[in-house]
Every structure is written in structure tokens, then in C-alpha cells.
Amino acid sequence: MSFKAACSVVLASVFLCGESVGLNLTPRFPLLHPDFHQNVLKGGDGMIRAMDSAPPHIGEQIPQGERETWDVDCTSELINHECVKAIDGSNNTFWQTKVDTESIDPLPHTIELDLRGVKNVNAISMRPLLDADLGGAVAGHKVYISLDRTKWELVAFGTWFEDLQGRFLILSHSGAGAYGLTVVADKFAVFEPQPAQFIRLEAISATNGTQFIRIADLSVWAHTSPTAQSPGLGKWGPTVDFPLVPVGVFIDPIGGKVISFSSYAHDSFGQGVTDRTTLTATWDPTTETISHRQVRKTNHDMFCPGMSFDVHGRMVISGGESADKVSIYEPTKDDWKSVREMGIARGYQGSTTFANGHIFVIGGSWGPEGIRYGYRFGETYDPVADKWTLLKGCPSERIETTHDWEKKYRADNHVWLTGWKNNSIFQAGPSQEMHWITPTGNGAIEDAGQRQAIDHPARDSMCGVAAMYDAAAGKILAAGGAPSYNYRDGKGVVRGEKATKNAFVITLDEVNVTVDVKLAGQGMHHPRSFAHAVILPTGETLVVGGQEEPRVFTEDTPQLEPEIYSPAKNNWTLLAPNSVVRAYHSFALLLRDATVLVGGGGLTIQRDVNHFDAQIYVPQYLLTADGERAKRPVILETSDAAVLPGGNFTITTDTQVASASLVRYGGATHSVNNDQRRIALELHDLGMPFQYGVIVPSDGGVAVPGYWMLFVMDSQGVPSEAKNVQIQIAPEYQT
């Protein structure tokens, strides 16, 4: 069988065999492409070892010679399968806990390693057995480290994907055909390098619901030095391990859980694949547990969609891989439902909620083969009527970038949109030309000027970031990006330009007039594409991740130092670096506790860039000078859970506070989070101890309907944990 013939009888990712392949049946064996030999490592005993995810960006696996000196202990072991077998370097031996039905040791189980010396540890890898799908492989887990075996620090937790191990189908270019090899995928928990001598892996759950654990190999990775600690620059906390590559992520505003999704598979996507399902994973921060499920009922692969919250806190996900479909996540039911399809199939579109509670989308020429590029007119969705309205007065050609060498395919991707006054929408980019959009009637688009400043000429900023950090003042930060989506083509030839450091503050006022644009400081410290912007409760904006030479599914020239923009000082400050690359298909979101979740990247058969995890970044405002958590104010109650624009409510706290703000919930994917915005609230002392009155801006285009996180800050800028406030649709915008 030829290589091409082999491709015709199996289900492959978009990059497999160099063409899109889509059949109705999932293959019996997973696929490994011979071109990606760096993902396959030969092991002993006739076994091939495949990386299920990206290995640590820094550090090296501690060699077997050193492992032979370690001590190991565990909570349970079976005769002939003692826990020392997990570190003996052989694939023919393994550690297993007791399984005798009369004396079974139930979960959780732990295994502890004594490295017999201090190492700057930054990862572990766990290799399950070949028949892991039958049970016994670690799924839910926690990883701890210690210097003295007395004080333990949690460095990673979550759930590893319960995937099928065993035989993989290898496709050969040589004409020798397809053949099977025994392959097993390692699971990683990667974290910032820290000195430790002892490591504990706690298994909370196992594949197939078993109570026993089996591990063929447990390895440790270490770096030459620990991550430098400087509390004034923030701190990277524990890693959250997901059972999928989290490409799209949002927070359930009702329950506070983090909902993530990949595509029909946990580790790859495929244009043209007919399996219209989506794998999702839910992290509950209160229990530190992660569950996952395959969403089939909506007949929608939600990879690469538009994302917007409606007034009721329901996430509306439009298009993507299943380019015509629309699905809604209902937080009160923890369930998904399918709604009316869009008038135009699209993926990579811009999406935002505006003053009347409707959702506007435009652009989105990415999608399965056969979809015509361009001509993605704007359309609006009414969640109450479940109705889409096509706006012929809003052609996508008006908002396209003009310098991308991939032309129409990329020109209308990832549009920066924000709702504004008079039921309008402002388009801040990524095209160098900015626009006002009228999303009612037949629709209209008017020029709003160029995103430029003195000595900084206008240029397209594809895969840059935009964030409305002060909605009442109409302030939007726009930063980074590049004139083209990819710096190099598939053969590695330079075709585009590198990312920029450029950063601007755009100020909105009246609709349909040229907007004011000024430089945001002197620009960022690092050029970035594929980065993310997160608005903090204090009004500062964190920009994290990305790379200087944008190219999908690569990790060259990564930016590992986040930075923060201060509007008050009009400057940028570099923050604590991290060691995990976050580039294409990564995300970042503000959590309710005012920390930031930064994760993902990859989702491709080129598995050395697949990141099944996220890191928690603790901003400097939550830390004392010695790096401990600062005492924070507490919101005891609010007088109203819901309020109209122009309405007021009372906040009761446990101590005196100096400021307050509302930050709208949003959804992040592909460097875009159009729905996030912040409103600074003026506090009015009500004469009662720790009671304050606040007034919401009167225009529903500023106070866009939906759920918002309410924060209060003390005089040192330390924020509280958030309370929910729902802003309802203003009467003048109701239809």
C-alpha cells in the first residue's frame, strides 16, 4: 500500500499526508507521521515511546544512572510489582497497587521519590501501561515537592487524558505501506523550576474507574537553576493539567468553573472531519478537580469559533470547525444546546455582545475546504428570538487586513470588536484601518481613522491584542501583532514580517467620528504575536505569551516574560518570567480570585508543541514584600445582584477600601477576548462602617449587558475576590 493510499483509508489531521482527509469512521489505531520523528523516542525492550504532549521547554530528564540511587516509597504495592519498579528504567516492569478484592487498597495512592540530593525540579513524566484503557493508569492527580519531606508544596494538579494506549499506525513515505508498532504515550506535569529533594505523586483517580494504579515509568526533569523569585513582579503558581489542549476557555459566571474545549479530539483537529463533536474539560477551582466529556448533542465541532456571553451568562459559540453551527452553554444546567445556524458559515470570526443584548459577528474565512474566502458579511444574533439577521451593509472587505501574504484566507480573521454607545460597535483592528459599525437595520460601516502615532505609522496587527481597560472613559489598549498571520510559510521560507512592540491607547467618544490614538508608553518591551491581554481589577493590563516570529504550531522565538501596562504611569513593566511556551492556540483569563490563568498551545499532530496545561499567575498586588499572600479585603454582600445601566447598589466590606471596579466575564481563544472590559466605580461613603454606594454608567453601550465580576481594592491596591453583578439591558435598547 502506498503512503497516499494509506492516507485514504484512515482519519487524519489536517496536516497529515499534506492534505485534508475526512471519513465517517475513526481509525482503530492512532496515527504517527514519520516526519514528526522528534515526537517518538525509542525505548528499551522493543517499545516505542511517544510524547503525548510537549516536554519541558527547559531542563533535562534525570538519567537512569542517577535514578538507581533514589529511594522510593508508596502507599500500596503488589508482590513482584513493588514501587521501585516505576524507576528501574525497564518497560517490562511496573509498579501496581494491591488489587485482591479482599484486601484492595482504595484510592488515593501516593508514590514518593527521594532524589538523594537537591535538584531544581521542573517536571515529572508518567508512563502508563499499554493496556491503560482497561484501567489502572493515573488520571486525576496532584504533584508535590519538598526539601525536607515535612513541608510540601503543591506544584501541579489536574487530570491526564484517559487515551487509548497500545498499537499505533505508522505511515511510510517509502511505499512500504502502513505498519503497526507498540507505542506508549508519556504524561507530563510541568511547573516552574524549584529546589526539591522529595517528590510526591498522588493518584486521585484511575482510568476505567479502577481503584488500583499501575505505572511503568516515573521520571523527573530538572534545570540548572530555579526560577528567580521577585514578589514585586508577581509569581507563577501551580500548574493545572487538563485532559485536552485548552484552545477555547471561558468561566461559568454562575458556578465559577473554568470551561475549556479543544476539538473533536483532545490533541488534534482536522478540517473536513465529519465527527461533529467537541471534547470539553471543566475545572472546579474550589475542589481542584477536572472532569471532561464529549459534547455530541449539538452536532458541532467548536474549534476556532466566535465566543460571546449573553445577558444571562450563557456562552454563545458560533461557527469554527463546524462552520455553520451555533451552540450555547447554559450554566444553570451545566449543559449545551444547539440553536439557529448562522446565515454564513465562518471560523476565526470576530464576535461581541453590544448594548441591546444581541451578538454581532463579522469575518471568519477560515474553515473546511470548499468554503469561499471573503464575503463574510456581518450578522447579528438575538438570543431571545433565536434569530440571525444578515447585514448586507457590513461587508467584511471593509475590515480586512491588506498586507498578509496568505491574502483573503487570513484577511478577516480574529476581528477586534467592542460594543459602544448608541447601540454601536467599534472595530479596533487588527486591520490598520479602524471602523464604526452600525449593527441594526441593514447595517453600516464608517471610517474611524488609523491606528498610528508619531513615528509609528499605521500597520496591520494580525494576532495582536486589544482590551477595553476603562470603558467609562472609552479607553482601549491595542498591542503587538504582525502584518501577516505567519512569518514563514510551510517550507520555512520567510514570507511575512516579524511581530511588533507597538502599543496604542485608543479613546472612544462620539460615534462615527475619528477616534483619538496615542502611544501606550514607549511600546512593549517584547514584540509579540499570539499573545493575550488580560484586564486586571486595578485597571492595569497584563500581556502574556506569544512569539516574535509568528508561525502556527511552532515555538521558535517565544516570549517568556509577561509585561503589564499601567495607564496611570503610561508605562510597561516586565514581570516574573515563566518557562512554559504559550504561543499559537494558547489563552489567558482573569479568575474570580484576581489571579490569571495562562495556558494551552498546540493542538496538532506535531505533538511537541501540545500543551495540556495552564499555569496560575499571581499578580504582584496579591503578594507581600516577602512573597507571601497579602491580606485582602472581603465583599460581605451587595444590595443588588442585578442592576440596570445608571442604577446604583451598595457594597458592604469587612474593612475600609479605596476603590472598586467591574470586570466583565469573557471568553478567550486565538488571542481574542472581545467581551472583557472594565468599569472603574466611584465609591460613595454611606456613613455606615464599611458600606459604600456605587453608580453604574448610564449608557448600556458602556455597561454592556451580562455578568460582571465586582472587585474592591484597599489603599495598597490589594483586590478582594469577586462577587457577581448582572447588568441588565437598558430600557432604551430593549426590543
Side-chain angles (χ1 to χ4, degrees):
M1 179 185 295
S2 69
F3 176 68
K4 187 171 183 179
C7 287
S8 68
V9 296
V10 296
L11 184 65
S13 245
V14 62
F15 297 114
L16 189 63
C17 311
E19 58 184 297
S20 289
V21 179
L23 298 177
N24 291 322
L25 299 177
T26 301
R28 180 179 178 184
F29 304 127
L31 301 171
L32 291 179
H33 192 295
D35 285 349
F36 302 128
H37 55 84
Q38 69 269 30
N39 302 313
V40 183
L41 306 176
K42 291 184 178 180
D45 314 306
M47 184 177 293
I48 298 295
R49 179 174 153 215
M51 289 189 295
D52 186 61
S53 61
H57 180 67
I58 60 174
E60 299 290 340
Q61 186 174 358
I62 297 177
Q64 182 59 34
E66 289 191 42
R67 294 207 298 171
E68 292 173 356
T69 68
W70 295 353
D71 290 332
V72 59
D73 193 16
C74 53
T75 53
S76 173
E77 58 185 17
L78 196 63
I79 296 176
N80 297 324
H81 297 289
E82 296 82 8
C83 48
V84 71
K85 302 293 178 62
I87 61 170
D88 65 3
S90 171
N91 287 315
N92 289 331
T93 62
F94 56 91
W95 166 51
Q96 180 171 318
T97 60
K98 291 181 180 179
V99 294
D100 189 325
T101 55
E102 295 182 359
S103 60
I104 190 169
D105 293 329
L107 290 166
H109 295 295
T110 61
I111 182 170
E112 290 185 11
L113 305 178
D114 179 355
L115 308 186
R116 304 296 295 274
V118 176
K119 298 280 188 180
N120 296 309
V121 177
N122 69 310
I124 67 166
S125 60
M126 186 279 300
R127 188 180 310 158
L129 272 65
L130 291 175
D131 58 355
D133 56 307
L134 300 180
V138 179
H141 61 276
K142 294 183 178 180
V143 181
Y144 300 87
I145 61 173
S146 176
L147 283 168
D148 57 9
R149 218 169 193 168
T150 300
K151 182 180 179 181
W152 293 89
E153 179 180 356
L154 178 68
V155 291
F157 63 91
T159 299
W160 285 314
F161 185 71
E162 302 175 17
D163 55 346
L164 177 69
Q165 308 297 324
R167 292 180 60 79
F168 279 61
L169 189 65
I170 308 298
L171 302 179
S172 172
H173 280 301
S174 65
Y179 56 95
L181 286 178
T182 301
V183 180
V184 63
D186 286 5
K187 310 292 183 181
F188 285 91
V190 183
F191 40 91
E192 293 306 309
Q194 297 184 59
Q197 180 174 336
F198 304 95
I199 301 172
R200 175 192 293 166
L201 171 62
E202 180 180 1
I204 300 171
S205 65
T207 55
N208 207 27
T210 61
Q211 289 293 309
F212 64 89
I213 291 298
R214 300 185 298 172
I215 294 179
D217 185 82
L218 184 62
S219 293
V220 178
W221 298 61
H223 190 44
T224 54
S225 60
T227 297
Q229 300 293 328
S230 178
L233 303 180
K235 179 181 179 181
W236 290 93
T239 297
V240 185
D241 294 323
F242 285 86
L244 49 73
V245 176
V247 177
V249 184
F250 61 93
I251 300 174
D252 161 11
I254 307 301
K257 298 177 181 179
V258 177
I259 315 294
S260 65
F261 59 91
S262 53
S263 181
Y264 75 98
H266 74 294
D267 59 354
S268 60
F269 73 99
Q271 286 181 283
V273 170
T274 56
D275 185 11
R276 288 189 163 206
T277 67
T278 301
L279 185 64
T280 70
T282 300
W283 170 42
D284 186 344
T286 61
T287 62
E288 296 181 343
T289 58
I290 296 180
S291 59
H292 60 94
R293 59 179 164 179
Q294 196 86 29
V295 178
R296 301 184 182 277
K297 62 190 296 185
T298 60
N299 197 33
H300 185 185
D301 186 338
M302 295 181 278
F303 173 66
C304 296
M307 301 173 65
S308 289
F309 275 114
D310 73 3
V311 64
H312 301 296
R314 304 184 307 168
M315 173 54 72
V316 180
I317 295 184
S318 58
E321 181 65 53
S322 301
D324 54 344
K325 293 292 183 179
V326 182
S327 298
I328 288 181
Y329 176 76
E330 299 186 286
T332 57
K333 300 178 181 179
D334 185 25
D335 200 8
W336 295 85
K337 73 173 184 178
S338 181
V339 294
R340 188 71 57 90
E341 295 178 358
M342 290 181 290
I344 298 175
R346 57 182 95 222
Y348 279 14
Q349 69 271 25
S351 176
T352 196
T353 302
F354 58 106
N356 64 3
H358 294 189
I359 293 167
F360 173 80
V361 299
I362 193 170
S365 285
W366 182 91
E369 289 188 18
I371 290 184
R372 184 185 182 190
Y373 302 151
Y375 307 99
R376 295 300 199 278
F377 291 94
E379 54 186 313
T380 60
Y381 178 64
D382 180 347
V384 176
D386 187 22
K387 178 184 178 182
W388 287 92
T389 301
L390 191 64
L391 304 178
K392 285 297 186 70
C394 296
S396 59
E397 286 68 28
R398 289 292 306 279
I399 53 87
E400 290 179 347
T401 60
T402 56
H403 295 90
D404 200 309
W405 60 269
E406 293 180 271
K407 302 186 186 308
K408 286 281 189 180
Y409 177 55
R410 297 295 192 187
D412 63 0
N413 294 181
H414 312 316
V415 188
W416 307 344
L417 302 170
T418 185
W420 190 238
K421 299 174 181 178
N422 299 330
N423 225 18
S424 67
I425 291 170
F426 180 72
Q427 180 246 329
S431 62
Q432 64 187 28
E433 303 284 347
M434 300 178 292
H435 299 90
W436 291 104
I437 298 174
T438 300
T440 54
N442 194 47
I445 298 180
E446 301 290 339
D447 291 340
Q450 292 187 326
R451 197 176 51 260
Q452 62 182 347
I454 297 175
D455 297 327
H456 289 74
R459 59 184 288 167
D460 296 333
S461 299
M462 180 57 69
C463 297
V465 297
M468 181 171 259
Y469 63 87
D470 187 346
K475 301 290 186 180
I476 298 172
L477 174 70
S484 56
Y485 209 105
N486 287 292
Y487 177 62
R488 300 177 187 268
D489 63 18
K491 296 180 180 179
V493 177
V494 174
R495 299 288 300 276
E497 297 180 40
K498 295 182 180 181
T500 178
K501 301 178 183 179
N502 288 352
F504 303 94
V505 173
I506 305 165
T507 303
L508 310 186
D509 191 3
E510 298 302 317
V511 176
N512 291 336
V513 300
T514 300
V515 298
D516 180 70
V517 181
K518 288 184 171 58
L519 289 178
Q522 298 303 308
M524 294 186 294
H525 291 271
H526 297 302
R528 305 173 189 264
S529 279
F530 306 142
H532 288 271
V534 178
I535 303 169
L536 302 179
T538 55
E540 298 167 308
T541 300
L542 172 74
V543 178
V544 60
Q547 58 189 149
E548 181 178 1
E549 297 180 3
R551 187 182 175 197
V552 299
F553 303 124
T554 68
E555 297 194 340
D556 302 327
T557 64
Q559 301 297 4
L560 298 175
E561 278 186 303
E563 47 193 305
I564 193 168
Y565 174 67
S566 168
K569 299 177 182 178
N570 191 31
N571 67 6
W572 292 85
T573 302
L574 290 173
L575 302 175
N578 70 317
S579 63
V580 182
V581 177
R582 304 296 181 191
Y584 188 57
H585 283 169
S586 61
F587 77 90
L589 275 180
L590 179 70
L591 299 179
R592 282 178 164 183
D593 65 356
T595 63
V596 179
L597 188 67
V598 182
L603 195 73
T604 172
I605 197 170
Q606 189 173 335
R607 296 168 188 266
D608 60 337
V609 300
N610 284 352
H611 294 275
F612 294 78
D613 59 14
Q615 295 169 282
I616 297 172
Y617 174 71
V618 182
Q620 68 279 10
Y621 53 50
L622 289 175
L623 300 172
T624 63
D626 58 2
E628 299 299 319
R629 287 295 186 105
K631 180 177 174 56
R632 58 199 302 177
V634 176
I635 301 175
L636 299 177
E637 64 177 356
T638 59
S639 60
D640 300 271
V643 63
L644 286 166
N648 61 80
F649 61 94
T650 300
I651 305 170
T652 303
T653 63
D654 70 333
T655 188
Q656 185 174 358
V657 296
S659 59
S661 66
L662 290 166
V663 181
R664 195 176 188 275
Y665 286 95
T669 187
H670 292 79
S671 300
V672 176
N673 185 351
N674 283 334
D675 278 0
Q676 70 166 335
R677 62 170 63 195
R678 172 184 168 274
I679 296 173
L681 298 173
E682 183 181 354
L683 292 174
H684 300 273
D685 194 329
L686 299 181
M688 301 286 288
F690 314 139
Q691 278 197 351
Y692 307 88
V694 295
I695 302 174
V696 176
S698 59
D699 196 299
V702 174
V704 172
Y707 275 82
W708 297 63
M709 293 179 278
L710 170 67
F711 295 94
V712 296
M713 278 69 67
D714 66 16
S715 59
Q716 301 301 310
V718 180
S720 66
E721 294 198 10
K723 289 280 189 181
N724 273 359
V725 173
Q726 183 193 29
I727 296 181
Q728 300 170 323
I729 302 171
E732 61 268 28
Y733 291 130
Q734 294 180 10
T735 57

